[in-house]
Amino acid sequence: MRIAPSILSADFANLERDIREVSDADILHVDVMDGHFVPNLTLGLPVVARICQVAPMPIDVHLMIEDPDRWAVQYADAGAFSVTFHYEAATNPRQVARELRAAGARASVAIKPGTPVERALDLLDEVDMVLVMTVEPGFGGQAFMADQMSKFETLRAAVDASGADVWLQVDGGIARDTIGTVAKAGGDTFVAGSAIYHAHDRNAEVRALRDLAERAARD
């Protein structure tokens, strides 16, 4: 069970400090938004490259941008451990995944709440992670969409049957009261923004969320 704090909820004026305050995390989730694929605008390639240099954990980049066919591999070249592109934005998702792997990064595909899970199933042989959005992408702090759990159940069954090493990530509304639901449905990698960054002790919250996920998966 992997916990990935999202710096979307961090203080961008004190970003390195806020990254180091979640040093117990497994990976760090970095949202790149272009103001076109989603209505929000965050940060881009130069900032991500610098984050990769200073962060004490691997960087998990989530591209919520148009034309990932052009841009995705550049984030791998900048040092990202994992790069997620949206199925809905890619012209050739299979080729994007192959280029990411060739560049030495883990390739990941994301699907929005309205996208059928079959789109991700078709790419399981090409990716290292599938991200299921449990909010509409673009802004942090949204309410968790429990109706997406059937996607995790379907993906978990397919991954287990194939024997592939494919992580199943969730992003959107993850906190103490929702993480167990996803863990029981088959998720194993959890993005949490406000739940961690609004906590008094951020590393303690990382550990608490991981413990809740592990217990839910065992039950």
Side-chain angles (χ1 to χ4, degrees):
M1 295 296 164
R2 290 166 286 268
I3 305 298
S6 171
I7 63 166
L8 189 61
S9 297
D11 179 356
F12 277 23
N14 294 282
L15 197 49
E16 184 175 1
R17 179 203 67 190
D18 281 8
I19 290 171
R20 295 192 183 281
E21 287 188 359
V22 294
S23 57
D24 283 355
D26 301 282
I27 53 179
L28 185 75
H29 193 78
V30 178
D31 288 312
V32 175
M33 307 183 195
D34 64 0
H36 298 283
F37 180 69
V38 293
N40 199 3
L41 182 66
T42 55
L43 43 79
L45 192 58
V47 178
V48 172
R50 186 67 179 127
I51 291 171
C52 290
Q53 292 171 352
V54 304
M57 73 287 283
I59 302 303
D60 169 38
V61 175
H62 179 189
L63 298 178
M64 287 175 267
I65 63 172
E66 293 181 346
D67 200 10
D69 304 71
R70 172 187 177 188
W71 291 105
V73 74
Q74 296 186 50
Y75 286 87
D77 292 340
F81 165 75
S82 175
V83 179
T84 300
F85 63 92
H86 268 266
Y87 176 88
E88 304 87 358
T91 301
N92 189 336
R94 194 170 293 274
Q95 183 63 28
V96 176
R98 289 175 179 174
E99 290 178 358
L100 287 170
R101 283 178 159 180
R106 289 177 63 89
S108 171
V109 64
I111 52 174
K112 298 197 291 185
T115 301
V117 71
E118 287 75 18
R119 303 294 185 268
L121 289 173
D122 289 343
L123 292 170
L124 281 184
D125 59 332
E126 300 282 4
V127 299
D128 304 290
M129 183 169 74
V130 176
L131 167 55
V132 175
M133 297 295 298
T134 46
V135 298
E136 289 295 337
F139 292 92
Q142 298 182 64
F144 174 76
M145 299 171 68
D147 60 356
Q148 300 298 302
M149 293 307 98
S150 63
K151 292 181 180 177
F152 282 101
E153 293 165 357
T154 300
L155 286 163
R156 173 51 61 200
V159 169
D160 289 350
S162 70
D165 179 22
V166 177
W167 298 358
L168 300 182
Q169 186 177 64
V170 59
D171 186 359
I174 295 301
R176 293 192 185 202
D177 61 341
T178 57
I179 193 167
T181 301
V182 185
K184 287 180 179 179
D188 55 32
T189 307
F190 305 87
V191 177
S194 54
I196 291 173
Y197 275 106
H198 293 176
H200 174 70
D201 186 331
R202 293 163 174 176
N203 265 329
E205 192 65 21
V206 168
R207 295 191 296 270
L209 289 171
R210 187 185 294 115
D211 182 62
L212 286 168
E214 290 173 348
R215 281 192 281 162
R218 288 195 302 265
D219 291 344

